[in-house]
């Protein structure tokens, strides 16, 4: 009779295990119904839609439009003009000989039209400095665009792998909930046949509710991370999808290689260097004000006027005009010297800013690389811990199935397994985040 009861209990346990497997299949079936969204697709969508990228591209377009010889002052200005004036007057005039004359409705007209050309042919090389400054501003716009693109890609990758982590946590919490559901069912079945206790049932229910609450919280965090990724990509926030679960961590980054790339490609360093060059060009432009300014002018003018009461009743003229002008700043209240001194101070400030930026970036690189190496070591440790915890849970579940251990021991093994999985996912995520940060600092972040 004892053997028969034990066989019956084992049958109930096997039935619970089969229902647990079925529940897992239903979970994956529901997950598989969502469209899969790759990291490459997420980056492409963000680069196409992101508002920050669109705004910085507009700024770059303005800088490109401004970088031309006309805006620098190389080209002449050609102006066309026309003026047509008239008057209707009541006139009383007394000639030197003859009687006084009174005239009403006397109409006078004056018509002028023509073109004028003004061209500054020399301004102390200021136009050359200005043109170089405009080209540097264009380069700065390109660097700023690259910085925004790098930041956007980094934000997308961070959000994408945060969702990967959260998606895997949901699966892990669901597995824990299913084991707790199985344990509750077994405890209830044992109580019904008189082989269990009410306390075991109540404890199993509390643990199942705890795991259910944890599962629902992870599901909510998964939804939130999905909304965050949609927001970065600037698309409909209600779109649902699933992501690839492999983080593809690169574990062979070398600090020396990253440091060399950082000096060449880091946007902040490039921006600081361009600011220094702009400050130097500004001094060159100010010094150019010490030289004379030479300009030529030319034009063609047509003039017609009528005056019935004048000495000449009608005058008409047309012809070419031309000239040469030169001016030099002799004294302007020492403003020239003051402006040059201020420009030199600006150069000194730009040099200090460049060195400060270089030191800050290098410190970020070294600190991030140290974190990266530590996270790789943690990843190895946690991977081993998960394997041990999985084996422990498998053995404990088998013993529980045979009735040789208490529910408390199963719960402890279950908790250890979930904690090990959570730590592993955290280690993977942190390792990936530091890898992304290193590539962003070095300006080499380009996900294919």
């Amino acid at each position: 009779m004892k053997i028969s009861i034990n066989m019956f209990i084992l049958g109930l346990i096997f039935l619970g295990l089969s229902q647990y497997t079925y529940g897992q299949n239903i979970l994956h079936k529901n997950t598989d119904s969502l469209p899969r969204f790759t990291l490459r697709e997420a980056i492409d969508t963000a680069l196409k839609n992101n508002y920050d990228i669109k705004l910085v591209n507009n700024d770059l377009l303005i800088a490109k439009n401004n970088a031309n010889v006309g805006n620098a002052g190389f080209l002449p200005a050609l102006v066309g003009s026309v003026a047509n004036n008239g008057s209707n007057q009541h006139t009383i005039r007394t000639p030197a000989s003859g009687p006084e004359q009174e005239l009403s409705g006397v109409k006078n007209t004056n018509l002028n039209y023509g073109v004028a050309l003004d061209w500054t042919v020399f301004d102390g090389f200021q136009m050359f400095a200005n043109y170089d400054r405009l080209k540097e501003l264009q380069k700065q716009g390109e660097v700023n665009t690259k910085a925004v693109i790098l930041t956007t890609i980094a934000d997308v990758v961070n959000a994408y792998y945060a969702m990967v982590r959260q998606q895997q946590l949901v699966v892990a919490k669901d597995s824990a909930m299913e084991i707790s559901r199985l344990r509750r069912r077994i405890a209830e079945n044992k109580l019904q046949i008189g082989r269990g206790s009410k306390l075991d049932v109540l404890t199993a229910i509390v643990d199942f509710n705890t795991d259910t609450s944890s599962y629902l919280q992870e599901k909510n965090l998964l939804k939130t991370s999905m909304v965050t990724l949609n927001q970065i990509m600037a698309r409909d926030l209600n779109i649902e999808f699933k992501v690839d679960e492999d983080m593809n961590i690169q574990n062979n980054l070398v600090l020396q290689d990253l440091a060399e790339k950082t000096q060449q490609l880091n946007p902040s360093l490039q921006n600081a260097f361009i600011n220094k060059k702009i400050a130097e060009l500004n001094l060159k432009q100010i010094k150019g004000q010490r030289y004379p300014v030479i300009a030529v002018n030319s034009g063609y003018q047509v003039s017609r006027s009528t005056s019935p009461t004048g000495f000449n009743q009608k005058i008409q003229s047309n012809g070419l005009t031309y000239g040469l002008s030169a001016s030099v700043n002799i004294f302007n209240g020492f403003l020239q010297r003051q402006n040059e001194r201020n420009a030199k101070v600006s150069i000194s400030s730009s040099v200090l800013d460049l060195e400060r930026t270089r030191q800050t970036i290098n410190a970020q690189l070294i600190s991030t690389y140290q974190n990266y190496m530590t996270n790789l070591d943690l990843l190895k440790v946690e991977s081993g811990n998960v394997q041990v915890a999985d084996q422990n849970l498998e053995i404990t579940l088998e013993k529980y199935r045979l009735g040789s251990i208490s529910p408390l021991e199963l719960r402890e093994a279950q908790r250890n397994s979930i904690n090990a999985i959570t730590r592993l996912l955290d280690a993977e995520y942190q390792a990936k985040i530091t890898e992304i940060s290193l590539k962003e600092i070095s300006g080499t972040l380009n996900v294919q």
Side-chain angles (χ1 to χ4, degrees):
M1 181 67 181
K2 182 177 180 181
I3 296 177
S4 298
I5 293 175
N6 288 338
M7 292 297 294
F8 178 70
I9 294 173
L10 289 175
L12 292 176
I13 294 174
F14 281 122
L15 176 62
L17 287 172
S18 65
Q19 291 178 347
Y20 162 71
T21 304
Y22 173 76
Q24 287 290 83
N25 292 335
I26 290 295
L27 169 69
H28 291 296
K29 183 177 180 181
N30 292 336
T31 303
D32 291 339
S33 64
L34 293 176
R36 184 177 298 276
F37 201 58
T38 65
L39 178 59
R40 181 71 264 174
E41 291 173 332
I43 292 175
D44 290 341
T45 303
L47 294 180
K48 178 181 177 182
N49 298 335
N50 186 271
Y51 296 113
D52 291 335
I53 293 179
K54 290 181 178 180
L55 290 171
V56 76
N57 279 333
N58 288 340
D59 294 337
L60 175 58
L61 183 60
I62 292 175
K64 287 182 177 180
N65 292 336
N66 289 338
N68 58 79
V69 292
N71 198 30
F74 281 92
L75 302 181
L78 185 63
V79 180
S81 63
V82 60
N84 190 6
N85 303 313
S87 64
N88 192 329
Q89 300 176 341
H90 177 77
T91 304
I92 299 176
R93 65 179 183 176
T94 304
S97 62
E100 182 180 81
Q101 297 177 347
E102 181 176 353
L103 303 174
S104 297
V106 176
K107 295 181 179 180
N108 299 319
T109 62
N110 189 3
L111 174 63
N112 293 281
Y113 61 89
V115 292
L117 182 144
D118 293 306
W119 191 0
T120 301
V121 294
F122 180 77
D123 63 350
F125 306 104
Q126 294 182 60
M127 61 182 71
F128 293 93
N130 191 30
Y131 185 53
D132 290 338
R133 184 182 65 85
L134 292 174
K135 289 191 291 185
E136 291 300 321
L137 288 175
Q138 179 182 341
K139 292 180 183 178
Q140 192 171 56
E142 294 170 352
V143 170
N144 291 336
T145 300
K146 177 185 175 182
V148 173
I149 290 175
L150 282 176
T151 301
T152 301
I153 293 177
D155 290 343
V156 171
V157 177
N158 289 342
Y160 187 90
Y161 285 114
M163 188 174 168
V164 170
R165 170 181 173 274
Q166 205 58 47
Q167 189 171 278
Q168 293 175 333
L169 277 174
V170 168
V171 174
K173 296 293 184 179
D174 180 80
S175 299
M177 185 177 64
E178 290 299 326
I179 293 176
S180 296
R181 179 183 287 112
L182 168 64
R183 177 182 151 207
R184 184 188 69 177
R185 187 179 298 113
I186 292 174
E188 291 173 346
N189 291 338
K190 283 184 177 182
L191 180 63
Q192 290 177 2
I193 63 175
R195 301 286 293 181
S197 66
K198 183 68 174 177
L199 179 61
D200 288 344
V201 174
L202 294 177
T203 303
I205 292 174
V206 170
D207 291 339
F208 173 74
N209 290 338
T210 300
D211 291 340
T212 302
S213 175
S214 179
Y215 169 76
L216 293 175
Q217 291 175 7
E218 297 297 341
K219 286 271 288 185
N220 179 65
L221 291 174
L222 177 60
K223 291 280 188 181
T224 302
S225 63
M226 193 181 301
V227 171
T228 300
L229 183 53
N230 281 328
Q231 180 184 8
I232 296 174
M233 294 185 293
R235 67 174 191 169
D236 187 357
L237 301 178
N238 296 314
I239 296 178
E240 294 189 354
F241 55 93
K242 64 180 180 179
V243 294
D244 295 329
E245 295 187 356
D246 191 357
M247 290 196 182
N248 297 317
I249 299 171
Q250 185 176 350
N251 58 4
N252 58 352
L253 297 179
V254 179
L255 180 59
Q256 183 61 34
D257 296 339
L258 292 170
E260 293 176 359
K261 293 293 185 182
T262 298
Q263 299 303 317
Q264 300 172 8
L265 302 176
N266 181 270
S268 297
L269 279 176
Q270 290 180 331
N271 214 336
F273 181 78
I274 291 174
N275 284 333
K276 173 178 173 292
K277 196 165 185 180
I278 290 176
E280 293 170 349
L281 291 171
N282 185 50
L283 174 61
K284 184 177 179 180
Q285 192 170 5
I286 292 174
K287 285 184 174 181
Q289 297 174 4
R290 290 182 176 273
Y291 295 91
V293 177
I294 301 174
V296 296
N297 59 81
S298 179
Y300 187 83
Q301 187 76 22
V302 177
S303 176
R304 296 174 183 172
S305 63
T306 60
S307 178
T309 60
F311 183 78
N312 296 313
Q313 293 186 356
K314 184 177 181 180
I315 300 176
Q316 179 173 336
S317 63
N318 62 282
L320 181 68
T321 62
Y322 54 89
L324 176 68
S325 64
S327 62
V328 62
N329 177 25
I330 299 176
F331 178 75
N332 63 349
F334 303 109
L335 291 179
Q336 178 66 29
R337 184 176 62 180
Q338 172 187 308
N339 292 337
E340 290 181 10
R341 288 177 176 176
N342 291 341
K344 291 178 181 178
V345 173
S346 297
I347 293 175
S348 176
S349 297
S350 66
V351 172
L352 293 174
D353 182 66
L354 176 60
E355 293 303 318
R356 180 183 62 181
T357 302
R358 181 177 284 114
Q359 187 179 41
T360 301
I361 295 300
N362 289 338
Q364 290 177 354
L365 180 67
I366 294 173
S367 299
T368 305
Y369 190 81
Q370 290 175 346
N371 293 334
Y372 166 74
M373 296 302 295
T374 300
N375 289 329
L376 290 180
D377 292 337
L378 289 174
L379 184 57
K380 295 177 183 178
V381 173
E382 297 302 340
S383 297
N385 284 340
V386 167
Q387 294 178 1
V388 173
D390 284 345
Q391 293 177 3
N392 181 51
L393 179 60
E394 183 179 352
I395 294 173
T396 305
L397 188 59
E398 179 67 19
K399 288 183 177 181
Y400 180 74
R401 184 172 65 84
L402 298 174
S404 61
I405 63 171
S406 66
L408 184 61
E409 292 176 281
L410 175 61
R411 181 63 177 175
E412 184 64 23
Q414 181 187 8
R415 185 181 295 112
N416 289 337
S417 176
I418 289 296
N419 290 339
I421 292 174
T422 301
R423 290 196 306 271
L424 174 62
L425 293 176
D426 289 341
E428 287 181 342
Y429 179 67
Q430 292 301 324
K432 191 64 183 180
I433 293 303
T434 49
E435 174 199 327
I436 295 165
S437 297
L438 286 174
K439 292 181 178 180
E440 183 182 8
I441 293 172
S442 61
T444 58
L445 181 58
N446 183 22
V447 180
Q448 298 297 331

